[in-house]
Amino acid sequence: MLKDPAELAASGSAESSACEYFPSGELLIADGEIIAVGPRGTLASADEALEVVDHGSSLILPGFIDCHVHYPQLDVIASYGEQLLEWLDRYVFPEEAKFADEDFARSTAQEFLKELLLNGTTTALVFGTVHSQSVEVFFQECEKRRLRMIAGKVLMDRNVPEALRDTPASGYEDSKVLIERWHGRGRLRYAVTPRFAPTSSPEQLAAAGKLLDEYPDVYLHTHMSENQNEIQWVSELFPEAKHYLDVYDSHGLARRRSVFAHCIHLQQDEWARLGDSGSSIAFCPSSNMFLGSGLFALSKAKQSDIPVGLGSDIGAGTGLSCFHTMDAAYKTQQLQQQSLSPLQNLYLATLGGAVALDLDDKIGNFQAGKEADFIVIDLAATPSLKRRLARAATIEEKIFVLATLADDRAVKETWILGEKLSERAR
Ligand code: GUN
Ligand code: ZN
């Protein structure tokens, strides 16, 4: 179990002490909550009245947290040959137009949640499309499964095909209806979701700021500084802005619970302001490589005290597996002559993501009182995993091997609020 983020931020041996691992352990759960975690034989099995579920030699981890993902892009994954702006025009916008059809949206939401759970991701910050009903059906499906999810209707009133445009007034009203209906209902939360600066007029960004003023505990979720052509375009559309972040910030959109995906090409002022404003970053390494966007400077985020979580960012990302995203995060650091330690990487995928989403009092590790969302990892899921893990001496090495070699096949079961919700067919 990963503990205090400040401890983890320290190096070397302090890192191991910030992680609790029981080679043979026990997790005591009641009413969907963690009561305690400890060595086997000390908790549940000491009390004969309790139901005991034996997971054998599997590894139990907190559910993964995906800090940036587009459910409507499930079927856009692996679309060839373009970088961000062309990829949006060619593949994404035509696909998102299909979500005007509520039945299509619902069946995609169902498939997305099924896949997400099979991959061991129990919480995500999720883009819908511009259509209100895309988010309405998404929340309905999450509620049925009792999931902790954050989502929002995309705001975009310019520079997209006509069929995908809202207006500052309609985007504001539609978001408000969704916030009133879903924000804080069970474990669901709302994110005001302007797509990115080029597709919102200043009037729309102001309306997004108004929503944040009216509902201070909702989220803000958007993209920023992903691609050089995008950044150039933003400077032409907003000539008065000091930099990209200033476009959002000048409309009151940079604050606690604001999550900016990518943040690859930031200026020093932007790093500093992100830190001061309490904003978070979603690091989307597989997407950043797939679209050729660039290498995220994780060390700069740490220096600026900015919470960072991992994002799969499908359809630009190449899979929903957090193991896959951790693998790409490690390689991104290698390309910058830095090593991302296995525990730091696991932290980004769990407790770090919870901190970035301001949910670390509820999820992210097995601290008593947190929600019992966890996954059961089969350490012999594939022949190569089994062989390589047999040689892994420490938990750090095991985590590293999993991050490098594992995928959804290793996620045997996904448990939500102490109940098994998803199980991989053998
Ligand atoms: N920037 C604006 N929209 C998108 C999107 O859908 N995906 C990614 N990766 N970047 C974006
Ligand atoms: Zn994205």
Side-chain angles (χ1 to χ4, degrees), residues 287-351:
S287 162
N288 295 344
M289 285 193 257
F290 182 77
L291 289 181
S293 303
L295 303 174
F296 174 65
L298 183 58
S299 58
K300 288 289 248 180
K302 277 192 195 158
Q303 284 160 20
S304 314
D305 227 0
I306 303 165
V308 176
L310 293 180
S312 69
D313 193 26
I314 69 145
T318 46
L320 282 173
S321 171
C322 260
F323 289 128
H324 180 92
T325 308
M326 288 166 74
D327 178 47
Y330 177 76
K331 289 170 180 166
T332 296
Q333 293 307 103
Q334 286 287 75
L335 285 165
Q336 299 173 90
Q337 286 68 55
Q338 287 167 17
S339 295
L340 177 57
S341 78
L343 293 185
Q344 282 282 351
N345 210 350
L346 179 63
Y347 173 75
L348 291 178
T350 55
L351 186 58

Side-chain angles (χ1 to χ4, degrees), residues 68 70 73 84-85 87-88 92-93 96 127 195-196 199 223-224 226 230 262 287-288 291 293 313-317:
H68 177 69
H70 301 250
Q73 294 178 17
L84 176 64
L85 300 177
W87 173 84
L88 287 170
V92 172
F93 294 147
E96 291 194 5
F127 259 68
R195 175 166 223 117
F196 66 158
T199 50
H223 300 91
M224 182 164 69
E226 176 177 6
E230 169 209 10
H262 305 290
S287 162
N288 295 344
L291 289 181
S293 303
D313 193 26
I314 69 145

Side-chain angles (χ1 to χ4, degrees), residues 71 145 173 201 285 302 324 407 424:
Y71 99 78
R145 295 163 180 78
E173 288 302 333
S201 63
K302 277 192 195 158
H324 180 92
D407 54 31
R424 174 151 297 274

Side-chain angles (χ1 to χ4, degrees), residues 208-280:
K210 186 157 181 263
L211 286 167
L212 297 192
D213 285 344
E214 288 168 358
Y215 301 95
D217 61 344
V218 300
Y219 290 79
L220 183 283
H221 184 198
T222 191
H223 300 91
M224 182 164 69
S225 207
E226 176 177 6
N227 168 287
Q228 297 289 8
N229 292 341
E230 169 209 10
I231 295 165
Q232 176 59 32
W233 194 18
V234 170
S235 70
E236 290 161 15
L237 290 167
F238 298 91
E240 69 294 348
K242 278 190 290 200
H243 41 56
Y244 200 148
L245 176 58
D246 191 43
V247 173
Y248 296 131
D249 199 16
S250 60
H251 293 95
L253 304 185
R255 29 71 117 188
R256 194 166 164 194
R257 285 180 298 283
S258 292
V259 182
F260 295 96
H262 305 290
C263 298
I264 300 171
H265 309 285
L266 298 183
Q267 303 171 17
Q268 188 49 44
D269 279 8
E270 294 176 289
W271 287 111
R273 176 61 194 142
L274 277 177
D276 291 345
S277 65
S279 303
S280 301

Side-chain angles (χ1 to χ4, degrees), residues 364-417:
N365 65 5
F366 293 145
Q367 203 175 311
K370 290 204 184 179
E371 296 162 359
D373 291 350
F374 63 91
I375 56 180
V376 180
I377 305 296
D378 177 2
L379 299 175
T382 65
S384 64
L385 202 54
K386 187 175 173 187
R387 280 179 69 85
R388 181 61 185 87
L389 282 171
R391 293 188 181 199
T394 62
I395 186 62
E396 283 90 341
E397 196 180 349
K398 283 187 180 135
I399 297 293
F400 185 68
V401 171
L402 284 167
T404 310
L405 297 180
D407 54 31
D408 54 332
R409 290 169 295 177
V411 181
K412 198 169 159 195
E413 297 170 4
T414 300
W415 289 62
I416 296 296
L417 292 176

